[in-house]
């Protein structure tokens, strides 16, 4: 019997994940059965269990991939030197997300399910916390650069501001998915107006 190549194994594994992601995005983690995934992937149970021990393992793998799709672009953008202004960083992140995050099986439709699943799955909760901490750290670097440029008050705690900004990004995802009433340009412009407005208020009213 000919040996199965690594490339073939990876292709089959990805076939399973893609099928599961489509089903999860449509029906949710817990309304999707292993049989649903098999039907979507057009595979037998034996083929699936050669790659994943359980549906839980498939969920965790897809969750990690969804989190990586969020964290990787933020890390890349915030490593630029010199750093772009905050509103430009946010607009670029949200614009990039439009290309892959809001397709029918994109992270915007998987992410909220991951957050909910993390409430009951300790291993997934730890993963979410670690990835979210990476995002906050990256955003805190942007905040420090904004403080040095005089666009954010220097007495603000960068980690606190980064937490607020990250919450705004998560809020964008939920609003975009649930209502469709937001877009990257106007959302980032509003955020820029808030940071600029705070600076202007301090200059006008005094410390």
């Amino acid at each position: 019997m000919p040996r199965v190549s690594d490339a073939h194994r990876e292709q089959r594994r990805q076939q399973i994940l893609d099928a599961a992601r489509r089903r999860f995005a449509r029906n949710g983690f817990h309304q999707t059965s292993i049989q649903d995934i098999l039907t979507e992937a057009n595979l037998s149970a034996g083929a699936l269990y050669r790659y994943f021990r359980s549906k839980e393992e498939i969920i965790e793998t897809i969750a990690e991939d969804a989190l990586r799709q969020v964290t990787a672009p933020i890390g890349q953008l915030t490593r630029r030197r010199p750093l772009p202004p905050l509103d430009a960083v946010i607009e670029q992140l949200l614009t990039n997300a439009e290309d892959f995050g809001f397709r029918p099986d994109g992270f915007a439709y998987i992410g909220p399910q991951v957050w909910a699943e993390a409430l009951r799955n300790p291993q997934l909760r730890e993963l979410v916390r670690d990835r979210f901490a990476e995002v906050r750290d990256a955003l805190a670097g942007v905040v420090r650069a904004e403080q040095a440029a005089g666009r954010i008050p220097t007495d603000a705690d960068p980690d606190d501001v980064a937490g607020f900004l990250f919450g705004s990004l998560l809020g964008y995802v939920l609003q975009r998915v649930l209502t469709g009433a937001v877009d990257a340009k106007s959302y980032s412009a509003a955020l820029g107006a808030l940071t600029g407005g705070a600076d202007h208020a301090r200059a006008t009213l005094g410390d």
Side-chain angles (χ1 to χ4, degrees):
M1 179 181 295
R3 293 185 61 183
V4 177
S5 68
D6 290 343
H8 176 81
R9 282 194 291 269
E10 179 56 31
Q11 183 180 33
R12 184 53 54 87
R13 181 176 183 275
Q14 194 59 50
Q15 180 182 350
I16 295 167
L17 291 174
D18 289 344
R21 191 178 291 106
R22 290 192 297 270
R23 284 287 181 142
F24 290 154
R26 289 201 303 267
N27 302 325
F29 288 156
H30 296 293
Q31 294 301 314
T32 298
S33 66
I34 283 289
Q35 185 57 52
D36 291 332
I37 297 172
L38 293 173
T39 300
E40 185 79 20
N42 195 27
L43 292 173
S44 67
L48 185 147
Y49 285 115
R50 279 198 292 270
Y51 297 91
F52 298 98
R53 294 187 299 272
S54 64
K55 188 178 80 168
E56 195 84 359
E57 185 177 358
I58 295 174
I59 289 174
E60 290 172 1
T61 302
I62 287 176
E64 184 165 10
D65 182 59
L67 291 167
R68 188 182 305 112
Q69 289 183 48
V70 174
T71 58
I74 293 176
Q76 293 166 6
L77 187 57
T78 56
R79 283 194 293 270
R80 289 184 184 176
R81 293 296 181 270
L83 275 171
L86 176 60
D87 55 338
V89 170
I90 299 301
E91 182 176 359
Q92 188 63 60
L93 289 173
L94 298 181
T95 300
N96 290 348
E98 288 295 327
D99 294 336
F100 58 87
F102 292 94
R103 66 193 183 202
D105 62 343
F107 77 77
Y109 295 89
I110 297 293
Q113 297 186 59
V114 172
W115 308 336
E117 185 70 9
L119 296 176
R120 58 169 293 277
N121 181 327
Q123 182 174 337
L124 188 55
R125 181 163 61 249
E126 183 175 354
L127 176 64
V128 169
R129 286 175 175 171
D130 288 346
R131 294 293 179 268
F132 281 8
E134 292 173 13
V135 174
R136 287 194 299 271
D137 288 346
L139 290 174
V142 180
V143 173
R144 293 185 184 95
E146 291 289 278
Q147 289 176 318
R151 288 187 291 265
I152 291 180
T154 56
D155 59 354
D157 186 299
D159 293 325
D160 291 343
V161 178
F164 170 79
L165 293 173
F166 187 41
S168 297
L169 293 175
L170 298 181
Y172 176 87
V173 171
L174 290 176
Q175 289 186 73
R176 178 75 170 72
V177 168
L178 295 175
T179 72
V182 292
D183 63 83
K185 191 173 185 63
S186 61
Y187 200 85
S188 57
L191 194 55
L194 284 176
T195 56
D199 214 24
H200 176 72
R202 289 174 63 84
T204 304
L205 300 175
D207 294 337

